[in-house]
Amino acid sequence: MRVIAKRTLRQFWESAPQYADAKGPLDAWYAEARKAQWRTPQDIKARFRHASILKNQRVVFNIGGNKYRLIVAVDYRRQVLFIRFIGTHAQYDTIDAEVV
C-alpha cells in the first residue's frame, strides 16, 4: 500500500513531548502498511484484529497499546492509504471518524 503521508505521522510525534512515545509504534505500523496488499476490509482485520472498519472506507487502528488512534481512508483498488487523523483517545472522541 502507498501511505499518504508519513509526514503527518512524524508531525504528530514531534508536536509535543508527551507524543514522542508514538514514534516507534507509528513507524512499525507504517512499515507494515507499506508492505501490505490489502484488497478488502477483511484483509486488514486478518492482520489487525482490533482495527475498526467504519463507513466511507475508513479504518481506525489502535496504536501504542491503544494509547493513540489512527484513522485512514482506504482506496483498495489503487492500493492507497490516506492518513486522516492521529491523536489520543480524548482527541478521537471529539471528531467524527467517518467524516475526517
Side-chain angles (χ1 to χ4, degrees):
M1 303 288 290
R2 182 171 172 218
V3 181
I4 301 175
K6 185 173 184 182
R7 178 176 51 116
T8 305
L9 302 177
R10 185 174 36 256
Q11 286 174 337
F12 175 74
W13 75 62
E14 292 177 349
S15 68
Q18 67 266 30
Y19 303 148
D21 64 336
K23 182 184 186 315
L26 286 171
D27 274 339
W29 175 88
Y30 179 83
E32 187 155 350
R34 288 276 298 147
K35 291 186 237 174
Q37 293 183 350
W38 297 318
R39 301 283 179 204
T40 66
Q42 292 76 21
D43 292 343
I44 295 173
K45 287 291 278 187
R47 175 56 191 101
F48 293 96
R49 63 185 175 112
H50 294 295
S52 299
I53 308 299
L54 306 178
K55 296 177 187 174
N56 295 328
Q57 304 296 323
R58 300 295 197 268
V59 180
V60 180
F61 294 92
N62 296 315
I63 302 293
N66 209 18
K67 185 174 181 181
Y68 303 105
R69 293 281 177 108
L70 171 66
I71 302 173
V72 300
V74 184
D75 184 331
Y76 296 99
R77 186 179 56 78
R78 293 190 294 161
Q79 290 289 286
V80 179
L81 298 173
F82 299 93
I83 296 172
R84 306 301 299 160
F85 171 85
I86 177 68
T88 66
H89 275 270
Q91 293 164 337
Y92 173 82
D93 289 342
T94 66
I95 64 165
D96 184 345
E98 295 176 354
V99 176
V100 299

